[in-house]
Amino acid sequence: MYSEPSRRAGRWITIIALLLVLIIIFASIGGQLLWFWLNIEEFGELFLKPIYFEIYAGIILAAIALFRIDFKNRRSVVWWLIPLILRIIRERGYLEAVPRRYFDFKSFKMPVGKFLMWQITKVLLGIIFFRNLFFGMAISAPEDLLSVRLADLSRLLTLPFVTPPLNDLSYASETVIPLMPLLTLFVTPILGALGVRLILLVGLTQILKVATPSSEEIATGTIRLGWRIAVIEGLVALALFWALVNAFFPSNIDYNTRYYIGGLAAGTVLFTSLMLIDRRGRTVYTTRTLALRITPILILLLAVGSLMAINNSIADARKVEWLGPYVTQQISVNRYLAQLDEIKEYRYNFSVPNIVASDIPNLVESNRDLLSRVRLWDPQAAFAKLKPDIGLIPYVDFVDADILRFNGTLYWSASMKPILPKTVRPEDRWFSEHLYYTNVPNGFLMLEGHSGKSVDPSTFFKQRTIYYGESGLFAETWAAKPLHTSSPQQEVGGGTYQGKGGVVVEPPLSWLFDVNFFWAYRDTPIQVLRYRDVITRVEMLLPYFQYYFGDKTIDIFPVTDGVDTYYMVPLIVALDTDHVPWSVRNPYVRLVGYAFVDIYNGTLQIYVLGDDFISRLFKATYHDYITPTVPESIKQQLRYPEELFEWRVSMYNIYHVKDAETFIVAREFFEVPQGLDTYYVIAKPPTFERPEFVGLLSLELRGAGGRNLAGYMVVRNDPPHLGEMIFYAVPIDSPTKLLGPTAVLEALNKNPEFAQLRTLWGNKSRIGDTILYRVGDHDVYMIPVYTAGVGGVVTELGVVAAIGAAFTGEYYVGLGSNVYEAYRSFLTRVANVTTTTAPPSELTLQDLIQQANKLLQSYLEAWSKGRYEEAGRSLEAFLEMWRMIVERSGGG
């Protein structure tokens, strides 16, 4: 027996061990629980809504997948395995020493109460794996909102057995598209849960019954095969039946689908019949018996496989007749998925209008309004031009350059992020991150997109101090402000935070939030700003939308209502269509609206602009948090998301083809020229009454040998036409071709005047964006060419090239020091005017002298720093420039 002191010592050891376990658990999850509580305090139901939907959906789907209703047998794989494994461990791996009852899964049975509690436990644990936001939202929505009924799925049962009409897009529009809410929101998650149930609760259970011996078999040493073979046959029949069910909800249907379904149905019947025969236990398994079972299986496989192979052979010769009807429905469904029917198409002939020299001044003057808005500065040049404005500030860096428009003028806005200076000592890091470098005092720099002149951002953005922004310390850490202190802690920029953002953490919670607050601000409430990265903040509160496209974060940019400044985040939804016939797994994508995040207070405003079923569902669910209308001042700053525009264009590249034969032979598919991105510019495409802010993306024929454009896509941004897309198509047989960017750049580089300028500039020049404009009746590429100043730091506009896009066998290239001179020079080439004096595309004498001075300074600087090869090139260019000056001045 143990003495009393020994028992007391044991109790103390147990208590200490339990305390240590509790401390470890609290240390592991205590911080997460605190942040969860602070999220509720700061965001309230807005934070909890997605969690409600996940729990609601998780309970339903987990119950479908994991809850056993077999209260008669009350089996459990987990609770059968646990005592078996523990006993094997206890016997040190000697299976012979384990009592035979531990192996008998067939006779294992749980008590009713424990069985019921285990099913409930599985459902609660399964919430983590079966949570589905959209399913939970749809289940919670009013019944009449989506207008869906499970009975409507009966329409799909006949689709594989009916050959749809050729080149009639209405068939899928009437049968499949009305079921889109049901198929995307309900069918996919429910089929997934049912599949898990069949695998775990049926398949795994029956496999264990087959694989483990019963107590009687262990005692007698004989294994009965009859019922085991029947179980295996039943599992095969069940697997075929489940494949049969899913075959009615495929992502594609063709002429072979009906035979595939027939084969699955026949296989299900065959294996079910074999199971019923073998479960009686009277079958004697001989070679003849096995042959009688294998033979019909092989006959079925050969019959179905041969029939499908013959169909493929026939379809190869009669592709349009056999495959065409199904391709037509694929086109119809995918046009709906990407809203391609809403894209307007204009077909017109590009030409080179005849002009006379006397018309040139009037043509330039009549298009001066548009020419004055041509975007001559691209993002790289804008960054280089704005970089010196940061100066020697070590705690900020550029994040992104966004193209904005105010009062019909384009501006580049360079957003900045706070960074920790490299000179900060490790012992000062906590203070610097959380209390000092909490914001960017002047968070935006602006550059006029046409002239390249720096603009005072306060002209447009009254609020420029960023506490909620993009990346940097915004994404890496939180910020804090101690309240009610006699001497408020100053932050970078010389001020302190006066906003309403974040959450106030009172002691002692502040001690748990960070132990430094216990030592330094024991009795002081702390205002904590968390989730300061805008994308992270919106994604946490509205996790339904797409914030990443590929490896890139969705583009966000600043807007203002004249007082406050916000980051605008597009709310784009993408639903899986794995069970939507003819979708070929392309997602259902829509722009629901925008979220505006105040850069100072972090407040969130939600605007819903979409009118599709998912937008209506979101609007009905979040009606208390949605602002009805976008302010008029901000409407003029909205921009259709580039990511969504480019995705819709990628779908249009294929599914603009409505004719099945043309689609099958793939002779009119488009593609975006390599290296080309969407350009947001102020332009006046054909049919436009005035210049507008549009996104433009050029397209060319896929696989075409030439580098001509098939047309270009435009997306409008000005209200009330936000998101309206127009495709300007060049007829394939048009005698006039529309040059693509590659061909235009070749024409520019082959131009003698430009080649001379490139020689003078050496390796310090760069060709900017190649943007197509419609100027009057001419389609013209406006191409800026940049040069680097002394030392290669400051970017300057060297020359502007205006190159005709319409091509009939001759290139028209005009050069000038500005866009007006370039366009005038282009018109001169079109009019075929020759002059005895220097053409307008050449630089003026004053320009040549300035270039010569810069080259001389470059030579002297390179020579003084020992860069003799560079100095030699600069000297050679200077001497050539000096020769041109002498010739221009008449040798004087």
Side-chain angles (χ1 to χ4, degrees), residues 355-422:
I355 60 173
V356 295
S358 59
D359 293 335
I360 293 177
N362 290 332
L363 289 174
V364 174
E365 189 61 30
S366 63
N367 291 290
R368 179 170 293 274
D369 179 53
L370 176 60
L371 293 173
S372 66
R373 308 187 198 191
V374 168
R375 201 184 88 183
L376 295 179
W377 289 80
D378 63 13
Q380 184 177 345
F383 261 133
K385 192 74 176 289
L386 291 172
K387 189 71 174 178
D389 290 351
I390 292 183
L392 301 177
I393 304 175
Y395 57 84
V396 296
D397 195 7
F398 283 129
V399 179
D400 192 15
D402 300 297
I403 192 73
L404 310 178
R405 74 195 187 282
F406 291 99
N407 303 321
T409 302
L410 292 181
Y411 299 91
W412 285 107
S413 170
S415 303
M416 290 182 284
K417 63 183 179 182
I419 59 174
L420 196 66
K422 297 180 180 179

Side-chain angles (χ1 to χ4, degrees), residues 32 35-37 39-40 43-59 127-128 130-134 136-137 140 531 539-544 621-622:
Q32 298 179 14
W35 274 66
F36 184 85
W37 172 253
N39 288 349
I40 297 175
F43 305 111
E45 191 178 357
L46 188 62
F47 167 70
L48 292 175
K49 262 188 178 295
I51 300 176
Y52 291 154
F53 295 144
E54 288 182 332
I55 293 175
Y56 196 12
I59 290 175
I127 291 174
I128 300 173
F130 290 93
R131 54 188 180 178
N132 186 299
L133 284 166
F134 286 110
M137 185 189 293
S140 307
Y531 304 107
E539 185 180 17
M540 179 195 64
L541 298 175
L542 303 175
Y544 318 96
T621 306
Y622 278 84

Side-chain angles (χ1 to χ4, degrees), residues 348 350 712 738 772-775 777-781 803-806:
Y348 66 105
F350 295 83
Y712 58 89
L738 189 65
L772 179 61
Y773 287 87
R774 179 79 170 182
V775 184
D777 294 329
H778 295 87
D779 298 285
V780 185
Y781 282 95
I803 304 177

Side-chain angles (χ1 to χ4, degrees), residues 855-865 871 874:
L855 289 170
L856 181 59
Q857 294 180 46
S858 297
Y859 161 73
L860 295 174
E861 180 183 7
W863 182 268
S864 65
K865 295 183 178 179
S874 298

